[in-house]
Amino acid sequence: MNLDQVRSQFPALSRMIAGQTVAYFDGPGGSQVPKSVSDAVADHLLNHNANLGPNFATGQETIAMVGRVRDKLAAFFNCEANEVSFGQNMTSLTMAASRAIASTWQEDDHIIVTEMDHEANISPWVLAARDRGVQVDIARYNNNSHTVDVSEVESLLRSNTRLVAVTMSSNITGSHVDVEAIARSAHEVGALIYIDATHHAPHHYIDVQQLGCDFLVCSGYKFFSPHVGVLYTSSAVNDKLEPYKIAPATDTAPGRWETGTQNFSAIAGLGASLDYLRSLAPESDGFASSYQAIEETEKTLSQQLLDGISQIKNVTLHGKLSVVNRSPTFALTSPSATPEEMAIQLAAEGIFVWN
């Protein structure tokens, strides 16, 4: 990648604090956006602002825009356009999906969540299980392998397991989970698999066909978009579920998953963020090459960070010590300060981190 060209597209990178350009290390909480994304949001609001109305110009333009972005997401995930739905964010989409999926559970059924997941892929399932009288098992994080092992999940699978909810990448330590292997094992006992790809999507290519997942969810604000959620639902399971929806919503996908008026300006921005990702490998015909370029760049930066951390006294890195099978996310502690104190001190020097 031409990093000078990349940086020039992000106005936020010109911000200064304490005489230094800001370092946006807050990726676990979201990303900055290129100007093309803010331009797309403004263009929709100023020139095409309408609900989905087929009988007038702005409504027709909004319908067409949503269709184009849906097609781009289908290419992004390697799926069909009607398998992609929009929503408020990953958490809201998962909460809604959990109600539809849980309605198929019977008392004494069983589900699995993991200790490594974001709470957004735990609480919705635990709450749904409570309401349906379903048992929940938690697949534990392995402190040696720095992930949730496939064998750990497999040891919990039963003939009455109905769902496995699992992340692709930890938003705390960056570790990957072998969700493809977990999906195969889950399907062997007839369980569905619901994948949280929110922290994976900014850094690595996603192919839902290769993963073999039933559901995959993420939020666009992690990969240079405004706040909008995206849900992939396999056609194989779509017709077997009845989402909670209002009467005007369609009975077919994707409309049956999209509750109420969507945030159309954010969807326009999401489309621009996908165009930006494609532009990182302009000679290619898909997203895979763009993500190859992203991974190569991020591995170089990650190794530089790991090398630097190893030379700092009184700082402990939690998680993998290599750049293999991980996203570029790092968890640090120090006996000399609390995480919040560290974040505040770093912020004063223009280094933005979460704690």
Side-chain angles (χ1 to χ4, degrees):
M1 286 189 291
N2 182 333
L3 293 181
D4 288 335
Q5 182 184 19
V6 168
R7 291 189 180 101
S8 71
Q9 297 181 64
F10 288 80
L13 297 184
S14 64
R15 180 166 186 162
M16 305 283 290
I17 287 183
Q20 301 183 91
T21 53
V22 166
Y24 293 94
F25 283 4
D26 57 331
S31 60
Q32 302 303 310
V33 303
K35 189 174 184 298
S36 59
V37 168
S38 61
D39 287 346
V41 173
D43 178 63
H44 177 81
L45 288 172
L46 296 174
N47 301 308
H48 316 283
N49 195 21
N51 212 322
L52 303 176
N55 299 319
F56 52 92
T58 50
Q60 294 167 357
E61 290 158 2
T62 299
I63 291 172
M65 178 274 293
V66 171
R68 289 193 301 271
V69 178
R70 206 185 300 276
D71 287 340
K72 292 175 184 178
L73 279 168
F76 184 69
F77 289 135
N78 188 24
C79 67
E80 299 298 323
N82 66 354
E83 295 177 312
V84 176
S85 306
F86 299 108
Q88 183 179 358
N89 48 55
M90 177 272 171
T91 305
S92 298
L93 282 168
T94 301
M95 196 67 78
S98 70
R99 297 185 73 182
I101 296 169
S103 68
T104 67
W105 298 343
Q106 303 297 321
E107 192 170 346
D108 296 328
D109 278 345
H110 170 250
I111 67 170
I112 299 171
V113 297
T114 89
E115 195 174 40
M116 188 169 135
D117 270 74
H118 190 287
E119 192 63 28
N121 203 30
I122 298 175
S123 287
W125 308 112
V126 172
L127 293 171
R130 180 198 65 188
D131 293 344
R132 300 291 295 180
V134 169
Q135 182 180 347
V136 180
D137 271 332
I138 301 174
R140 300 299 178 184
Y141 176 82
N142 187 323
N143 285 310
N144 295 317
S145 62
H146 305 293
T147 188
V148 172
D149 297 326
V150 175
S151 59
E152 166 72 2
V153 176
E154 290 177 338
S155 71
L156 300 174
L157 288 170
R158 310 173 190 169
S159 60
N160 64 337
T161 302
R162 297 292 170 251
L163 179 91
V164 178
V166 61
T167 187
M168 291 190 77
S169 291
S170 168
N171 72 316
I172 296 176
T173 64
S175 294
H176 291 176
V177 179
D178 188 351
V179 294
E180 187 176 346
I182 291 174
R184 287 195 300 268
S185 297
H187 288 156
E188 287 177 2
V189 300
L192 300 175
I193 182 163
Y194 191 99
I195 294 177
D196 176 12
T198 304
H199 198 60
H200 200 82
H203 309 293
H204 312 282
Y205 178 59
I206 296 170
D207 184 338
V208 295
Q209 307 305 324
Q210 180 179 335
L211 294 175
C213 56
D214 302 295
F215 303 88
L216 184 140
V217 67
C218 59
S219 288
Y221 73 89
K222 285 293 193 86
F223 50 93
F224 318 117
S225 157
H227 288 263
V228 59
V230 181
L231 174 68
Y232 159 77
T233 309
S234 168
S235 295
V237 300
N238 240 330
D239 296 336
K240 300 177 183 178
L241 297 171
E242 294 186 17
Y244 285 66
K245 66 182 186 66
I246 60 175
T250 64
D251 291 326
T252 58
R256 67 205 304 250
W257 294 101
E258 294 178 347
T259 303
T261 300
Q262 297 298 305
N263 187 342
F264 298 120
S265 59
I267 292 173
L270 173 61
S273 76
L274 295 170
D275 291 340
Y276 164 73
L277 285 168
R278 286 287 293 269
S279 75
L280 297 178
E283 304 302 322
S284 71
D285 58 357
F287 287 95
S289 296
S290 294
Y291 273 97
Q292 182 179 354
I294 289 172
E295 286 191 17
E296 289 173 356
T297 302
E298 290 186 341
K299 282 183 178 179
T300 300
L301 291 169
S302 295
Q303 190 61 60
Q304 179 179 341
L305 187 69
L306 287 170
D307 292 343
I309 289 170
S310 68
Q311 299 175 38
I312 301 174
K313 295 180 179 179
N314 291 327
V315 169
T316 300
L317 172 71
H318 301 271
K320 296 175 69 70
L321 299 178
S322 76
V323 298
V324 179
N325 291 328
R326 69 168 303 145
S327 298
T329 303
F330 305 87
L332 307 172
T333 57
S334 171
S336 61
T338 67
E340 183 178 18
E341 290 169 341
M342 292 169 68
I344 291 171
Q345 290 175 32
L346 289 168
E349 299 186 37
I351 301 171
F352 295 177
V353 300
W354 275 86
N355 66 279

